[in-house]
Amino acid sequence: MTLPEIKPEQAISLENVTYQYPKSTSRLSFPQWQVAQGERLFLYGPSGSGKTTLLNLLAGILTPDTGSVELLGKPFSGLSEGKRDKFRARHIGVVFQQFNLVSHLTVAQNIALAAHFAGGSQPGREQLVALIHALQLPAEVLIKQASQLSVGQQQRVAIARALINQPEILLVDEPTSALDADARDAFMRLLTELCEQHHTTLIFVSHDQSLSQYLDKSVALSAITTAAEASSC
Ligand SMILES: Nc1ncnc2c1ncn2[C@@H]1O[C@H](COP(=O)(O)OP(=O)(O)OP(=O)(O)O)[C@@H](O)[C@H]1O
């Protein structure tokens, strides 16, 4: 008899997490924070408040000094570096501010690289075309070098690369600042629609609070840290 798969309810759970950059005098503290699976969350806060640091802790690029980061019910921050890298490649999509595309590789190669790191099979042309199409890009971009694309196109490719392994969690850091209002609107609709279709948990970080309208819920970074300070007394 095969048992039904038990799905954890929380996509993200932080407990007593602290992090201090080397040589920094201040410490960031996230006492307790949970995000349910499938939730699409807008995270905002002033420059320097710690949004990118939190995303890096969630992506396992930084590890907490104390406390734990659980993702999809797994003790993510307690994994060895190698296991964390594998977990990230398979379960987390990350889109950073600078997109981090490999400029001399084609769009298809950039996307295939993410599939390679996840240890899965290489995406077929059909799968790539479907993804590119879903992101409203013409199929011809697949054979173009990333450096030949406009900023808006690079942004969509970065999302395609983050989605190729169908991650349960997508972390997106301030990706729309280079776009005009119409392009930003189209991008946000597309991104949230794709996440809704795949029940992807989305953490979307920005200074621009007007973008919160596209997400289910808004959270100020200060609320996460304030709640923690209050409960730790
Ligand atoms: N590599 C680093 N070394 C030392 N301190 C750092 C480093 N990166 C960030 N910080 C500091 O940590 C704090 C949080 O930075 P972080 O980049 O997470 O903020 P942010 O809210 O994402 O800012 P922004 O909106 O400007 O991107 C800031 O005080 C910043 O100066």
Side-chain angles (χ1 to χ4, degrees):
M1 187 178 82
T2 53
L3 294 170
E5 193 188 350
I6 299 168
K7 296 207 167 173
E9 284 174 18
Q10 304 297 351
I12 296 169
S13 178
L14 267 61
E15 286 285 337
N16 300 320
V17 167
T18 62
Y19 183 78
Q20 186 165 358
Y21 284 102
K23 296 185 191 156
S24 167
T25 49
S26 60
R27 194 160 55 120
L28 287 161
S29 165
F30 304 98
Q32 208 178 50
W33 188 50
Q34 263 110 29
V35 181
Q37 283 206 15
E39 205 162 19
R40 294 183 294 278
L41 209 95
F42 180 74
L43 185 68
Y44 65 95
S47 181
S49 57
K51 303 180 298 295
T52 302
T53 306
L54 175 58
L55 285 194
N56 282 331
L57 287 164
L58 296 177
I61 292 160
L62 297 175
T63 49
D65 298 331
T66 63
S68 66
V69 176
E70 263 193 22
L71 298 181
L72 307 169
K74 297 276 183 328
F76 180 58
S77 58
L79 298 176
S80 66
E81 196 178 343
K83 285 191 174 155
R84 223 171 38 241
D85 288 347
K86 263 193 193 145
F87 187 97
R88 180 191 315 117
R90 287 188 190 153
H91 301 286
I92 311 174
V94 183
V95 181
F96 287 120
Q97 286 167 326
Q98 298 82 6
F99 313 142
N100 293 335
L101 297 176
V102 184
S103 57
H104 65 275
L105 295 184
T106 65
V107 166
Q109 287 167 335
N110 264 284
I111 298 172
L113 209 54
H116 168 75
F117 285 129
S121 54
Q122 283 299 299
R125 186 173 156 78
E126 239 170 66
Q127 192 188 353
L128 285 176
V129 170
L131 187 56
I132 284 295
H133 181 71
L135 286 160
Q136 298 176 0
L137 284 164
E140 301 85 77
V141 299
L142 283 169
I143 53 167
K144 281 196 177 176
Q145 287 187 349
S147 58
Q148 296 174 313
L149 305 181
S150 72
V151 173
Q153 287 173 329
Q154 285 184 40
Q155 188 170 50
R156 281 160 200 241
V157 172
I159 295 284
R161 187 186 52 179
L163 291 176
I164 189 68
N165 301 315
Q166 302 191 331
E168 289 92 337
I169 299 172
L170 182 60
L171 308 173
V172 181
D173 196 359
E174 191 87 68
T176 61
S177 42
L179 299 180
D180 62 36
D182 284 349
R184 199 161 57 222
D185 182 66
F187 174 82
M188 291 303 297
R189 284 182 195 286
L190 203 57
L191 178 67
T192 48
E193 265 171 36
L194 283 172
C195 288
E196 192 175 359
Q197 270 170 30
H198 298 282
H199 201 59
T200 310
T201 306
L202 172 64
I203 309 293
F204 185 95
V205 163
S206 179
H207 304 106
D208 182 356
Q209 285 200 44
S210 73
L211 299 179
S212 66
Q213 61 177 302
Y214 300 97
L215 288 297
D216 298 335
K217 199 168 146 184
S218 297
V219 175
L221 193 89
S222 60
I224 304 174
T225 46
T226 308
E229 273 160 23
S231 64
S232 64
C233 291

